[in-house]
Amino acid sequence: MDLTHFKDGRPQMVDVTEKPATFRTATAEAFVELTEEALLALEKGGVGKGDPLVVAQLAGIQGAKKTADLIPLCHPLPLTGVEVRVDLEREAKRVRIEATVRTKAETGVEMEALTACAVAALTVYDMLKAASKGLVIKEVRLLHKAGGKSGEWRREG
């Protein structure tokens, strides 16, 4: 399989001019493992900067919208919907982030969903680092994508 972001060994932004605009969606997730100190700070409402989960949700939405500014060969896309959920999983001592992004465009939104999760996870870290530097961001991964020439894909297990 050829990598589409290279031509003659040089990077390129893939030309999607001739592709039809179709409905596309992608869902991704990420986790932030919490230390006991960070969990306590989160349960008490943060560390004086506001509610970390609410701020992370907004940051994830903004991250999806800024993906083309951050990832050099991504196309700027007209996003038609961005949903970000940021939930504390107390028993597991972690925060789970899930982002679903939608568009009607010539290329998919997998990178936007992944970027939303990564930015939200980094925001959780930023908001709780005063309580603990030992937080770990894990498993930023695509769960599902639909639309386009390659059709539907879903992570197993």
Side-chain angles (χ1 to χ4, degrees):
M1 170 182 258
D2 291 331
L3 297 176
T4 58
H5 286 94
F6 286 92
K7 185 176 183 177
D8 301 324
R10 307 201 40 107
Q12 70 168 354
M13 187 169 163
V14 176
D15 186 351
V16 296
T17 305
E18 300 300 320
K19 292 175 75 176
T22 59
F23 174 74
R24 296 157 187 269
T25 185
T27 300
E29 73 178 349
F31 296 93
V32 181
E33 287 186 352
L34 303 172
T35 63
E36 194 64 41
E37 297 83 11
L39 179 60
L40 289 172
L42 189 54
E43 288 175 333
K44 290 181 181 175
V47 290
K49 297 180 181 181
D51 183 340
L53 303 186
V54 171
V55 176
Q57 181 182 17
L58 288 171
I61 293 167
Q62 185 175 10
K65 292 166 51 177
K66 294 289 190 178
T67 299
D69 294 333
L70 299 169
I71 310 295
L73 300 178
C74 279
H75 294 83
L77 296 175
L79 303 184
T80 58
V82 179
E83 296 173 26
V84 178
R85 288 187 49 115
V86 183
D87 296 308
L88 173 60
E89 296 181 345
R90 282 185 173 84
E91 299 302 315
K93 286 192 193 174
R94 68 184 186 181
V95 173
R96 180 177 184 271
I97 299 153
E98 181 176 296
T100 298
V101 180
R102 287 178 286 287
T103 190
K104 186 173 183 183
E106 298 79 9
T107 190
V109 286
E110 298 94 85
M111 294 308 300
E112 287 74 8
L114 289 162
T115 300
C117 287
V119 170
L122 288 166
T123 301
V124 170
Y125 188 99
D126 179 52
M127 298 286 290
L128 294 174
K129 70 181 185 251
S132 174
K133 308 280 191 280
L135 306 175
V136 178
I137 297 170
K138 297 181 79 169
E139 298 179 45
V140 179
R141 60 190 185 165
L142 186 66
L143 297 177
H144 175 256
K145 65 85 56 191
K149 187 169 81 174
S150 64
E152 187 164 3
W153 178 89
R154 188 173 304 277
R155 180 170 296 284
E156 304 268 333

